[in-house]
Amino acid sequence: AGSTSGVSEQAMEYIRQQLDGLRHSAVRAGSGMAELYARVEGEAAARALAQRDHETRIASLSEALKAERVGLHHSVAQRLEALESRLGVERSDIMARQAELRDELASGDQEGTERLQDFAMRIRREFEVAERRMSSEASALREHIDTTMKQLQSSRAADDEAQRMSF
């Protein structure tokens, strides 16, 4: 009976040791799980913050792009208005010169007629030069607008790509 009780005590001691080991392992596993949960929560919060920051940047870029478009449109409208105004003044000047020429022609003066023809030719050339200049300036303005819009679109696309890459 004494040797059986010694073996039973050893078996019980062994079971106690195993149970203590299991308890320690369970505590460590619980601690590790809590640590892992806290880390995951922290990463989720950081990701949400980064997402909000990105959305704010996208909204800001969108507003800046919208403001740039409005400013560009306003600038183009002003420039075209100025060009049209200048062309109108030049047309008025040309019409006044043509009226002068008609008056000189009406006088029947041969010299006046020749001067009038020269003057009319000069006015036509000046008018053609003014029209070419206006056309050239309008084309340059359109190219500038197209280039600016392409740059803005490229910048927006790069920011979108950077946002996608960050997540």
Side-chain angles (χ1 to χ4, degrees), residues 54 58 61 151-165:
H54 177 71
I58 292 295
L61 273 172
Q151 288 173 346
L152 288 171
Q153 290 170 347
S154 175
S155 174
R156 175 94 188 258
D159 287 343
D160 287 346
E161 184 63 29
Q163 188 272 335
R164 281 192 294 251
M165 292 300 179

Side-chain angles (χ1 to χ4, degrees), residues 87-141:
L87 182 61
V89 168
E90 289 176 3
R91 281 184 181 161
S92 295
D93 288 346
I94 289 170
M95 293 172 126
R97 287 180 187 168
Q98 284 179 341
E100 288 174 20
L101 289 175
R102 273 188 235 118
D103 289 344
E104 284 184 26
L105 281 174
S107 70
D109 184 36
Q110 180 64 24
E111 183 182 323
T113 302
E114 289 175 9
R115 282 185 23 209
L116 186 59
Q117 288 173 348
D118 289 345
F119 188 66
M121 182 71 76
R122 205 171 56 223
I123 288 174
R124 280 189 207 107
R125 279 189 238 130
E126 288 176 11
F127 184 73
E128 290 171 359
V129 166
E131 282 187 330
R132 284 193 302 268
R133 186 175 61 235
M134 187 187 86
S135 176
S136 173
E137 288 177 4
S139 293
L141 184 58

Side-chain angles (χ1 to χ4, degrees), residues 33-102:
M33 287 296 286
E35 207 176 288
L36 183 61
Y37 180 76
R39 191 172 355 145
V40 167
E41 286 293 318
E43 288 176 5
R47 183 174 181 91
L49 181 63
Q51 180 68 28
R52 283 192 303 272
D53 182 50
H54 177 71
E55 289 170 359
T56 301
R57 285 182 180 177
I58 292 295
S60 176
L61 273 172
S62 180
E63 288 298 318
L65 183 60
K66 196 181 298 180
E68 183 68 25
R69 282 182 185 156
V70 167
L72 194 56
H73 176 69
H74 182 68
S75 174
V76 167
Q78 283 180 334
R79 183 73 185 259
L80 285 175
E81 187 177 307
L83 287 172
E84 288 171 352
S85 175
R86 190 178 341 153
L87 182 61
V89 168
E90 289 176 3
R91 281 184 181 161
S92 295
D93 288 346
I94 289 170
M95 293 172 126
R97 287 180 187 168
Q98 284 179 341
E100 288 174 20
L101 289 175
R102 273 188 235 118

